[in-house]
Each structure stands twice: as C-alpha cells, then as structure tokens.
Amino acid sequence: MVHTCSSGRVVLSPICSASATPGLVKFDRVVLHQSQKPECIIQKPCNSEISSAMSRRGLMAAAVLGISLSLSQRPHAHAATDQRLINAFRKAMEASDNEAADAAWTEAIKLAPNNAPALSNRGTIRLQAGRWAEARDDLERALQLEGSDAPGRAAELNNLGNAEGALGDWESARQHFEAAAADPEMESIAKANMTLALWEMGDDGGAIKSARQLLRRDGAFLDMRCALTAFLHATGSTAEAEGQWEELQNSEDGVGASLYSRSSAIARVRNRWPPRATAALAAFLAVSDTASARDYDGTVHEYRFATLGRNT
C-alpha cells in the first residue's frame, strides 16, 4: 500500500513490524542491540504472563531499528525511474532474507544515489548482517542527506551508534546514542545503549548512574536491571548487586526469573551487550572477579574486575 504524507513524500507502509517496546514507531525490520546473529525481539512466549510482560518492554537493553520506507517525489518526466525505484523498495520489503533485501536496496540506490531512506535501510540490513563498516557508511550518508527533523532520524542515529560500537569506536557511539535519546520515542532504547557504551568505555560511575535513572523511570526494564546487577558486582558493591538480582527474579510475577535465570541470563544478553558488560554478568553469576567475553570482531577478552583491567 502507498500513502502520501503531508510532507509530500511517498511512504511505503511496512509489511512486518515488531517491537517489544510500546511507544516506538513500528518499523519494518527490528534486531537486537549489535547482534552478530540477528534474531527477532519478539520471542515465543511460554505463557500469557510472559507475553504480556514482553509487550511492556522488559526484554532488551536496546534495539537496532529499520527506518520507515519513503521516496522523494520527482517531476512527472521521471515517472519511469520513479516506478523502478518504487518497485525496488517493494522488492526490498518483500525480501525473504538479508541478502535479497540488500540487493534490492542497492538497486534502489543505483537509481537514486541520494535517496536517504534507501541508504538508511541498506545500512540497517548490513548492520543485521554484521557488516559494520558498510553499515556505518550508509547510515552516515543517510544522515548527511536528510534534514535534522526527518522522520526516523533518531532510529538512524541509534543504528549508527551500534555500528560504531561494533567497530570499537565507543565514543562516537555514545555521542550518537545521546543524540538519538533526544527523541522521546527513542529515549529509553538509546539511553540504554548509551549506558552500555559508557560501561564499555570504562566510565563505570556514569553507567551505573544512567542505569539507575532508567530503572527509576521504568522499574520493569528487566534488561537494564540485569545490567545494573552486573555493574554493581564488578565495582565491588556485591550486596547491592545481589539485591538487584533478587528484585529481577521477582519482577513481573516471575517473568524476570523465567527470562534471566542463572542458567539462561548469559545466553540472553550475549551478542546484544558489549563484551565488558557480558563479562561482568558472567563474573556475578560465577561469584568471581574475572570472566571472559567475545568481542564483535570475534576476539575473546578476559576481564579482571578487581583491578578494572583487561587482558587480551
């Protein structure tokens, strides 16, 4: 279906939308924070209680979001090109896998090299595929081309931050997460991403403060409570970490315990959280001051939290 919005842009409605976070604009493609092997946020619930809690944003620290699809209108003389571009957008939306979607977005970009939505969507697809540098380049170009008030800009900033973080540029990632958080619809997700970036950068006090602020606003943000547990343990506040863990286990009528048990918590956050946060949680669960975690480039790092150092 094609709709024309008041800005004069033709918008193709998303075919599939999924979000565990109420209040977000629903986009056509969603993957978890910096996932090396993308999976859908909406996971099969075990019962109606879990399904209900999932709809209230308890499962994730942050998301990588696809941007709504749009085409800039052109003069009638270019109607043939417009139709090919529309067909390319539709083909991308209907693609059954990332490879086909990437090819369709690439075709759209060949037809309209300065089409920001096409670049943004291809960047999102490449982010899902773990093609970090290419994703960053597409998203940067899309942001350069569009205005500061363009629809979906906050999600693009968030996605760019994820690509930069995966490439190890955590300061740039932090800045873009902070910019994305200025949009109320992206605020919680972007601030959660920023919290994880602060921890990865070694700003432990800043990460703990940010996690507390997020939980003060939404006590059912289970992923962030799990992160705060890990942060507190890693910085020596063991008793408070245990208290946060107990609160997590009792959250949402037992849903917290179902989703973040001692046996399943690491699997739930792995590849979504940056490595230092994942290792901090592993150390908490093992009642240890050391743990290892895999970085986005595949390198395994061992973290020693007693000295807040890292041995590679």
Side-chain angles (χ1 to χ4, degrees), residues 20-42:
T21 308
L24 286 176
V25 175
K26 294 185 179 179
F27 301 101
D28 61 312
R29 296 183 183 277
V30 183
V31 300
L32 298 183
H33 176 78
Q34 293 179 345
S35 176
Q36 290 170 300
K37 293 183 179 179
E39 57 187 39
C40 186
I41 285 174
I42 300 299

Side-chain angles (χ1 to χ4, degrees), residues 19-80:
S19 176
T21 308
L24 286 176
V25 175
K26 294 185 179 179
F27 301 101
D28 61 312
R29 296 183 183 277
V30 183
V31 300
L32 298 183
H33 176 78
Q34 293 179 345
S35 176
Q36 290 170 300
K37 293 183 179 179
E39 57 187 39
C40 186
I41 285 174
I42 300 299
Q43 301 179 20
K44 191 173 183 178
C46 300
N47 53 47
S48 59
E49 288 182 336
I50 291 179
S51 179
S52 173
M54 288 174 66
S55 69
R56 293 183 53 205
R57 189 191 352 104
L59 302 185
M60 52 183 248
V64 177
L65 302 172
I67 308 305
S68 58
L69 313 182
S70 61
L71 307 175
S72 296
Q73 287 185 324
R74 296 182 174 185
H76 182 71
H78 298 287

Side-chain angles (χ1 to χ4, degrees), residues 74 81 84-85 88-89 102-115 118-119 122 126:
R74 296 182 174 185
T81 300
R84 291 199 302 272
L85 189 56
F89 267 64
D102 187 278
W105 289 124
T106 298
E107 178 60 26
I109 292 165
K110 287 179 181 177
L111 291 165
N114 292 328
N115 187 281
L119 285 160
R122 189 177 70 172
R126 292 183 172 182

